[in-house]
């Protein structure tokens, strides 16, 4: 059963000369993804909201290799580790981070949209969006579009990886995306994770339609993992819920290194290089819920998101990317 499987990314590829951006890389599976890719020789950018936490993570990543450091892919020199500030709950911060990346980095080959929050109390961001929607989905949507032109010039092969969740199967995209009248912490999380998959699917379709080749898009469920993701459970489920649930579920939970394997598979696996727009779990292609496969829902969500971000979505993708790049440069 998938719940108890702990598949491994089997690729031995080295990433010397490749630049990777990972959001939320200071802890959890983002940090373990960074540890692996750094040891494969990549320049790994930790895009984090808390610079102190990011610095602590950087020190740990430098000192400690992945648990099975004897593997071939970790044998050469490690790459580089760099920190950029990124708070996905602020569009201003997303634009600033993108601008800094576009200015300072000569290439971006891999973008891993990993950061996330789960089941927090209802909160509206400075941009007027529900917090989980913006952090998990809208912030990543904007970041991705802003970085795409740089990725286009970093070919031959680039990948965008959206970390979603199996829990999307219970989610829906609601007319009231911000759930102003009907917020529950779980409903908002499930919607945002469904949006991660629909975004990957629709972006892959639009890239194909615009004849932009060499940028593949993936979404995935990483498994159930012991990370800090449940940090809000005690506020929104019941007092002490995070500790109690961890203790009960521990036997079936993955550790963060195991939890990073499907992200790594999507990011580096050689066979996955021929795939785009698909959803993965346990290091293989999987079938998401019908809503996550629905073309119309994916297109509608793209259009609504563009409207919310005041972007004109009816242009073809190439023109659209030029327009938003111009906007950010202003
Ligand atoms: N753990 C699981 O069982 C599980 C299952 C399915 C899917 N996932 C998905 O896996 C991804 C990683 O989660 P995780 O389990 O590793 O959780 P985690 O340990 O809580 O890590 C989440 C990361 O996201 C960052 N983050 C949160 N809000 C942010 C913001 N506004 N701007 C920038 N970064 C922000 C956090 O930074 P701070 O440390 O500063 O808060 C942290 O680095 C998430 O997308 C989650 O939905 C996890």
């Amino acid at each position: 059963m998938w719940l108890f499987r702990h598949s491994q990314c089997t690729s031995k590829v080295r990433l010397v000369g490749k630049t990777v951006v990972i959001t939320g890389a200071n802890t959890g599976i983002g940090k373990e993804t960074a540890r692996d890719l750094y040891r494969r020789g990549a320049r790994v950018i930790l895009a984090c909201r808390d610079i102190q936490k990011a610095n602590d993570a950087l020190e740990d990543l430098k000192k400690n290799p992945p648990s099975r450091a004897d593997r071939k892919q970790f044998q050469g020199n490690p790459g580089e580790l760099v920190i950029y500030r990124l708070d996905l709950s602020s569009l201003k911060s997303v634009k600033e981070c993108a601008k800094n990346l576009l200015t300072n980095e000569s290439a971006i080959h891999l973008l891993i949209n990993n950061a996330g929050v789960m089941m927090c109390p209802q909160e509206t961001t400075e941009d007027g969006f529900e917090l989980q929607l913006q952090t998990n989905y809208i912030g990543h949507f904007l970041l991705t579009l802003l970085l795409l032109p740089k990725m286009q010039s970093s070919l031959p092969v680039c990948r965008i990886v959206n970390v979603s969740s199996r829990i999307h199967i219970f989610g829906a995209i609601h007319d009231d995306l911000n759930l102003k009248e009907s917020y529950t912490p779980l409903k908002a999380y499930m919607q945002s994770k469904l949006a991660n998959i629909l975004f990957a699917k629709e972006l892959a379709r639009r890239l194909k339609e615009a004849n932009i080749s060499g940028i593949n898009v993936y979404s995935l469920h990483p498994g159930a993992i012991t990370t800090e993701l449940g940090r809000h459970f005690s506020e929104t489920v019941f007092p002490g819920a995070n500790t109690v649930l961890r203790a009960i579920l521990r036997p079936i939970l993955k550790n963060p290194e195991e939890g990073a394997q499907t992200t790594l598979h999507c990011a580096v696996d050689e066979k996955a290089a021929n795939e785009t727009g698909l959803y993965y779990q346990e290091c293989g292609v999987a079938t998401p819920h019908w809503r996550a496969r629905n073309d119309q829902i994916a297109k509608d969500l793209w259009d609504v998101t563009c409207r919310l971000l005041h972007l004109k979505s009816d242009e073809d993708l190439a023109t659209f990317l030029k327009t938003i790049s111009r906007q950010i440069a202003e």
Side-chain angles (χ1 to χ4, degrees), residues 199-258:
F199 173 39
K201 174 183 160 61
E202 181 64 7
L203 178 58
R205 189 190 71 72
R206 284 178 187 251
L207 285 164
K208 228 181 251 175
E209 192 180 67
N211 284 322
I212 300 174
S213 56
I215 303 180
N216 292 343
V217 196
Y218 309 80
S219 63
L220 67 103
H221 168 60
I225 309 139
T226 47
T227 64
E228 296 173 29
L229 194 63
R231 62 182 102 177
H232 295 289
F233 286 0
S234 294
E235 293 161 271
T236 56
V237 184
F238 58 83
N242 193 17
T243 318
V244 173
L245 291 173
R246 260 177 187 247
I248 295 171
L249 295 173
R250 185 164 289 281
I252 60 163
L253 294 179
K254 298 179 181 184
N255 66 39
E257 187 174 344
E258 291 163 342

Coordinates of all heavy atoms in Angstrom, one line a residue, residues 199-258:
F199 N -2.1 23.9 -11.3 CA -1.1 24.8 -11.9 C -0.1 24.1 -12.7 O 0.3 24.6 -13.8 CB -0.5 25.6 -10.7 CG 0.6 26.6 -11.1 CD1 0.6 27.3 -12.3 CD2 1.7 26.7 -10.3 CE1 1.6 28.1 -12.6 CE2 2.7 27.6 -10.6 CZ 2.7 28.3 -11.8
A200 N 0.5 23.0 -12.2 CA 1.5 22.3 -12.9 C 0.9 21.8 -14.2 O 1.6 21.9 -15.3 CB 2.0 21.1 -12.1
K201 N -0.3 21.3 -14.2 CA -0.9 20.7 -15.4 C -1.1 21.8 -16.4 O -0.8 21.7 -17.6 CB -2.2 20.1 -15.0 CG -3.1 19.6 -16.1 CD -4.4 19.0 -15.5 CE -5.5 19.0 -16.5 NZ -5.2 18.1 -17.6
E202 N -1.7 22.9 -16.0 CA -2.0 24.0 -16.9 C -0.8 24.7 -17.5 O -0.7 25.1 -18.6 CB -2.9 25.0 -16.2 CG -3.4 26.2 -17.1 CD -4.3 25.8 -18.3 OE1 -4.7 24.7 -18.4 OE2 -4.6 26.7 -19.1
L203 N 0.2 24.9 -16.6 CA 1.5 25.5 -17.1 C 2.1 24.6 -18.1 O 2.6 25.1 -19.2 CB 2.4 25.7 -15.9 CG 3.8 26.3 -16.3 CD1 3.7 27.6 -17.0 CD2 4.7 26.5 -15.0
A204 N 2.1 23.3 -17.9 CA 2.7 22.3 -18.9 C 2.0 22.5 -20.2 O 2.6 22.5 -21.3 CB 2.6 20.9 -18.4
R205 N 0.6 22.6 -20.1 CA -0.2 22.7 -21.4 C 0.2 24.0 -22.1 O 0.3 24.0 -23.3 CB -1.7 22.6 -21.0 CG -2.6 22.5 -22.2 CD -4.0 22.7 -21.9 NE -4.4 24.1 -21.5 CZ -4.5 25.1 -22.3 NH1 -4.2 25.0 -23.6 NH2 -4.8 26.4 -21.9
R206 N 0.2 25.1 -21.4 CA 0.5 26.4 -22.0 C 1.9 26.4 -22.6 O 2.1 27.1 -23.6 CB 0.3 27.5 -21.0 CG -1.2 27.8 -20.7 CD -1.5 28.8 -19.7 NE -2.9 28.8 -19.4 CZ -3.7 29.8 -19.8 NH1 -3.3 30.9 -20.4 NH2 -5.0 29.7 -19.5
L207 N 2.9 25.8 -21.9 CA 4.2 25.8 -22.5 C 4.2 25.0 -23.8 O 4.8 25.5 -24.8 CB 5.2 25.1 -21.5 CG 5.6 26.0 -20.3 CD1 6.2 25.1 -19.2 CD2 6.6 27.1 -20.6
K208 N 3.5 23.9 -23.8 CA 3.4 23.1 -25.1 C 2.8 23.9 -26.2 O 3.3 24.0 -27.3 CB 2.6 21.9 -24.8 CG 3.3 20.6 -25.3 CD 2.4 19.4 -25.0 CE 3.0 18.5 -23.9 NZ 2.1 17.4 -23.5
E209 N 1.7 24.6 -25.8 CA 0.9 25.4 -26.8 C 1.7 26.5 -27.4 O 1.6 26.9 -28.5 CB -0.3 25.9 -26.1 CG -1.4 26.5 -27.0 CD -2.5 27.1 -26.1 OE1 -2.3 28.0 -25.4 OE2 -3.6 26.5 -26.2
A210 N 2.6 27.1 -26.5 CA 3.5 28.2 -27.0 C 4.8 27.7 -27.6 O 5.6 28.5 -27.9 CB 3.8 29.1 -25.8
N211 N 4.8 26.4 -27.8 CA 6.1 25.8 -28.4 C 7.3 26.1 -27.6 O 8.4 26.3 -28.2 CB 6.3 26.2 -29.9 CG 5.3 25.5 -30.8 OD1 5.1 24.4 -30.6 ND2 4.8 26.3 -31.7
I212 N 7.2 26.2 -26.3 CA 8.4 26.4 -25.4 C 8.7 25.0 -24.9 O 8.0 24.4 -24.1 CB 8.1 27.4 -24.3 CG1 7.6 28.7 -24.8 CG2 9.3 27.5 -23.3 CD1 7.1 29.7 -23.7
S213 N 9.8 24.5 -25.5 CA 10.2 23.1 -25.1 C 11.3 23.2 -24.1 O 12.0 24.2 -23.9 CB 10.6 22.3 -26.3 OG 11.6 23.0 -27.0
G214 N 11.5 22.0 -23.4 CA 12.7 21.9 -22.5 C 12.4 22.4 -21.1 O 13.3 22.4 -20.2
I215 N 11.1 22.8 -20.8 CA 10.8 23.2 -19.4 C 9.7 22.2 -19.0 O 8.6 22.3 -19.5 CB 10.3 24.6 -19.2 CG1 11.4 25.6 -19.7 CG2 10.0 24.9 -17.7 CD1 11.0 27.1 -19.5
N216 N 10.0 21.3 -18.1 CA 9.0 20.3 -17.7 C 8.4 20.7 -16.3 O 9.2 21.2 -15.5 CB 9.7 18.9 -17.6 CG 10.1 18.3 -18.9 OD1 9.6 18.8 -20.0 ND2 10.9 17.4 -18.9
V217 N 7.2 20.3 -16.1 CA 6.5 20.7 -14.9 C 5.9 19.4 -14.2 O 5.3 18.6 -14.9 CB 5.3 21.7 -15.2 CG1 4.9 22.4 -13.9 CG2 5.8 22.7 -16.2
Y218 N 6.1 19.3 -12.9 CA 5.7 18.1 -12.2 C 4.9 18.6 -10.9 O 5.2 19.6 -10.4 CB 6.9 17.3 -11.7 CG 7.9 17.1 -12.8 CD1 8.8 18.0 -13.3 CD2 8.0 15.8 -13.4 CE1 9.7 17.8 -14.3 CE2 8.9 15.5 -14.5 CZ 9.7 16.5 -14.9 OH 10.6 16.3 -15.9
S219 N 4.0 17.7 -10.5 CA 3.5 17.9 -9.1 C 3.5 16.6 -8.4 O 3.6 15.5 -9.1 CB 2.0 18.5 -9.2 OG 1.2 17.5 -9.8
L220 N 3.5 16.6 -7.1 CA 3.7 15.4 -6.4 C 3.1 15.4 -5.0 O 2.9 16.4 -4.4 CB 5.2 15.1 -6.3 CG 6.0 16.1 -5.4 CD1 6.3 15.4 -4.0 CD2 7.3 16.5 -6.1
H221 N 2.9 14.2 -4.5 CA 2.6 13.9 -3.1 C 3.8 13.3 -2.5 O 4.3 12.2 -2.9 CB 1.4 12.9 -2.9 CG 1.2 12.4 -1.5 ND1 1.0 13.3 -0.5 CD2 1.3 11.2 -1.0 CE1 0.9 12.5 0.6 NE2 1.0 11.3 0.3
P222 N 4.4 13.9 -1.4 CA 5.7 13.4 -0.9 C 5.5 12.2 0.1 O 6.5 11.6 0.5 CB 6.3 14.6 -0.1 CG 5.1 15.4 0.3 CD 4.0 15.1 -0.7
G223 N 4.3 11.9 0.6 CA 4.1 10.9 1.6 C 3.6 11.6 2.9 O 3.4 12.9 2.9
A224 N 3.5 10.9 4.0 CA 3.2 11.5 5.3 C 4.5 11.5 6.1 O 5.1 10.4 6.3 CB 2.1 10.7 5.9
I225 N 4.9 12.6 6.5 CA 6.3 12.8 7.0 C 6.3 13.5 8.3 O 5.5 14.5 8.5 CB 7.1 13.6 5.9 CG1 6.9 13.0 4.6 CG2 8.6 13.7 6.3 CD1 6.8 14.0 3.5
T226 N 7.3 13.2 9.2 CA 7.5 13.9 10.4 C 8.2 15.2 10.2 O 9.5 15.2 10.0 CB 8.3 13.1 11.5 OG1 9.4 12.6 10.8 CG2 7.5 12.0 12.1
T227 N 7.5 16.3 10.0 CA 8.1 17.6 9.8 C 7.4 18.6 10.7 O 6.6 18.2 11.6 CB 8.0 18.1 8.3 OG1 6.6 18.3 8.1 CG2 8.5 17.1 7.3
E228 N 7.7 19.9 10.5 CA 7.1 20.9 11.3 C 5.7 21.4 10.7 O 5.1 22.3 11.2 CB 8.0 22.1 11.4 CG 9.3 21.8 12.2 CD 10.2 23.0 12.1 OE1 9.8 24.2 12.0 OE2 11.4 22.8 12.1
L229 N 5.2 20.6 9.7 CA 4.0 21.1 9.0 C 2.8 21.2 9.9 O 1.9 22.0 9.7 CB 3.7 20.1 7.8 CG 2.7 20.6 6.8 CD1 3.2 21.9 6.1 CD2 2.4 19.6 5.8
G230 N 2.8 20.3 11.0 CA 1.6 20.3 11.9 C 1.7 21.3 13.0 O 1.0 21.2 14.0
R231 N 2.6 22.3 12.8 CA 2.8 23.3 13.9 C 1.6 24.0 14.3 O 1.5 24.5 15.5 CB 3.9 24.2 13.6 CG 3.7 25.1 12.4 CD 4.9 26.0 12.1 NE 5.7 25.4 11.0 CZ 6.7 26.0 10.5 NH1 7.2 27.1 11.0 NH2 7.4 25.5 9.4
H232 N 0.5 24.1 13.5 CA -0.7 24.9 13.8 C -1.8 24.0 14.4 O -2.9 24.4 14.8 CB -1.2 25.6 12.6 CG -0.3 26.7 12.2 ND1 -0.1 27.9 12.9 CD2 0.5 26.8 11.1 CE1 0.8 28.6 12.3 NE2 1.2 28.0 11.2
F233 N -1.6 22.6 14.4 CA -2.6 21.7 14.8 C -3.1 22.0 16.2 O -4.3 21.9 16.5 CB -2.1 20.3 14.7 CG -2.0 19.7 13.4 CD1 -2.2 20.5 12.2 CD2 -1.5 18.4 13.2 CE1 -2.1 19.9 11.0 CE2 -1.4 17.8 11.9 CZ -1.6 18.6 10.8
S234 N -2.2 22.4 17.1 CA -2.7 22.6 18.5 C -3.6 23.8 18.6 O -4.4 23.8 19.5 CB -1.4 22.8 19.4 OG -0.7 21.6 19.4
E235 N -3.5 24.7 17.6 CA -4.4 25.9 17.6 C -5.7 25.5 16.9 O -6.8 26.0 17.3 CB -3.8 27.1 16.9 CG -2.6 27.7 17.5 CD -1.9 28.5 16.4 OE1 -1.0 28.0 15.7 OE2 -2.2 29.7 16.2
T236 N -5.7 24.7 15.9 CA -6.9 24.6 15.0 C -7.5 23.2 15.2 O -8.7 23.0 14.7 CB -6.6 24.8 13.6 OG1 -5.5 24.0 13.2 CG2 -6.2 26.3 13.3
V237 N -6.8 22.2 15.7 CA -7.5 20.9 15.9 C -7.9 20.7 17.3 O -9.1 20.8 17.7 CB -6.5 19.8 15.4 CG1 -7.2 18.4 15.5 CG2 -6.1 20.0 14.0
F238 N -6.9 20.5 18.2 CA -7.2 20.6 19.7 C -5.8 20.8 20.4 O -4.8 20.5 19.8 CB -7.9 19.3 20.2 CG -7.1 18.0 19.9 CD1 -6.1 17.5 20.7 CD2 -7.5 17.2 18.8 CE1 -5.4 16.4 20.5 CE2 -6.8 16.0 18.5 CZ -5.8 15.6 19.4
P239 N -5.9 21.3 21.6 CA -4.6 21.6 22.3 C -3.7 20.3 22.4 O -4.3 19.3 22.8 CB -5.0 22.1 23.7 CG -6.4 22.6 23.5 CD -7.0 21.7 22.4
G240 N -2.5 20.4 22.0 CA -1.6 19.2 22.0 C -1.7 18.3 20.8 O -1.1 17.2 20.8
A241 N -2.6 18.7 19.8 CA -2.8 17.8 18.7 C -1.6 17.4 18.0 O -1.4 16.2 17.5 CB -3.8 18.4 17.8
N242 N -0.7 18.3 17.8 CA 0.6 18.0 17.0 C 1.3 16.9 17.6 O 1.7 15.9 17.0 CB 1.4 19.3 16.9 CG 2.5 19.2 15.9 OD1 2.4 18.3 15.0 ND2 3.5 20.1 16.0
T243 N 1.5 17.0 19.0 CA 2.3 16.0 19.7 C 1.6 14.6 19.7 O 2.2 13.6 19.4 CB 2.5 16.4 21.2 OG1 2.8 17.8 21.2 CG2 3.6 15.6 21.8
V244 N 0.3 14.7 19.9 CA -0.5 13.4 20.0 C -0.5 12.7 18.7 O -0.2 11.5 18.6 CB -2.0 13.7 20.5 CG1 -2.8 12.5 20.4 CG2 -1.9 14.3 21.9
L245 N -0.8 13.5 17.6 CA -0.9 12.9 16.3 C 0.4 12.3 15.8 O 0.5 11.2 15.2 CB -1.5 13.9 15.3 CG -2.9 14.3 15.5 CD1 -3.3 15.4 14.5 CD2 -3.8 13.1 15.3
R246 N 1.5 13.0 16.1 CA 2.8 12.6 15.7 C 3.1 11.2 16.4 O 3.6 10.3 15.8 CB 3.9 13.5 16.2 CG 4.4 14.4 15.2 CD 5.4 15.4 15.8 NE 5.8 16.4 14.9 CZ 7.1 16.5 14.5 NH1 8.0 15.7 14.8 NH2 7.4 17.5 13.6
A247 N 2.8 11.1 17.7 CA 3.0 9.9 18.5 C 2.2 8.8 17.9 O 2.8 7.6 17.7 CB 2.7 10.2 20.0
I248 N 1.0 9.0 17.6 CA 0.1 7.9 17.1 C 0.6 7.5 15.7 O 0.7 6.3 15.4 CB -1.4 8.4 17.0 CG1 -1.9 8.6 18.5 CG2 -2.2 7.3 16.3 CD1 -3.2 9.3 18.5
L249 N 0.9 8.5 14.9 CA 1.2 8.1 13.5 C 2.7 7.8 13.2 O 3.0 7.3 12.1 CB 0.8 9.3 12.6 CG -0.6 9.7 12.5 CD1 -0.9 11.0 11.8 CD2 -1.5 8.5 11.9
R250 N 3.5 8.0 14.2 CA 5.0 7.8 14.0 C 5.4 6.5 13.3 O 6.2 6.6 12.3 CB 5.7 7.9 15.3 CG 7.3 7.8 15.2 CD 8.0 8.3 16.4 NE 7.9 9.7 16.7 CZ 8.6 10.6 16.1 NH1 9.5 10.3 15.1 NH2 8.4 11.9 16.3
P251 N 4.7 5.3 13.6 CA 5.2 4.1 12.9 C 5.0 4.2 11.4 O 5.6 3.4 10.7 CB 4.3 3.0 13.5 CG 3.8 3.6 14.8 CD 3.7 5.1 14.6
I252 N 4.0 5.0 10.9 CA 3.8 5.0 9.5 C 4.4 6.2 8.8 O 4.3 6.3 7.6 CB 2.3 4.8 9.1 CG1 1.5 5.9 9.7 CG2 1.8 3.4 9.6 CD1 0.1 6.1 9.1
L253 N 4.9 7.1 9.6 CA 5.4 8.4 9.0 C 6.8 8.2 8.4 O 7.6 7.4 9.0 CB 5.4 9.5 10.0 CG 4.1 10.0 10.5 CD1 4.2 11.1 11.5 CD2 3.2 10.5 9.3
K254 N 7.2 8.9 7.4 CA 8.5 8.9 6.8 C 9.3 9.9 7.6 O 8.8 10.9 8.1 CB 8.5 9.3 5.4 CG 7.7 8.4 4.4 CD 7.8 9.0 3.0 CE 7.0 8.1 2.1 NZ 7.1 8.6 0.7
N255 N 10.7 9.8 7.6 CA 11.5 10.9 8.1 C 11.7 11.8 6.9 O 11.4 11.5 5.7 CB 12.8 10.3 8.7 CG 13.7 9.7 7.6 OD1 13.8 10.2 6.5 ND2 14.4 8.6 8.0
P256 N 12.2 13.1 7.2 CA 12.2 14.1 6.1 C 13.1 13.6 4.9 O 12.7 14.0 3.8 CB 12.8 15.3 6.8 CG 12.4 15.1 8.2 CD 12.4 13.7 8.5
E257 N 14.1 12.9 5.1 CA 15.0 12.4 4.0 C 14.2 11.5 3.1 O 14.2 11.6 1.9 CB 16.3 11.8 4.5 CG 17.2 11.4 3.4 CD 18.5 10.9 3.9 OE1 18.9 11.0 5.0 OE2 19.3 10.3 3.0
E258 N 13.4 10.6 3.7 CA 12.6 9.7 2.9 C 11.5 10.5 2.2 O 11.1 10.3 1.1 CB 11.9 8.7 3.8 CG 12.9 7.7 4.4 CD 12.4 6.9 5.6 OE1 11.4 7.3 6.2 OE2 13.0 5.8 5.9

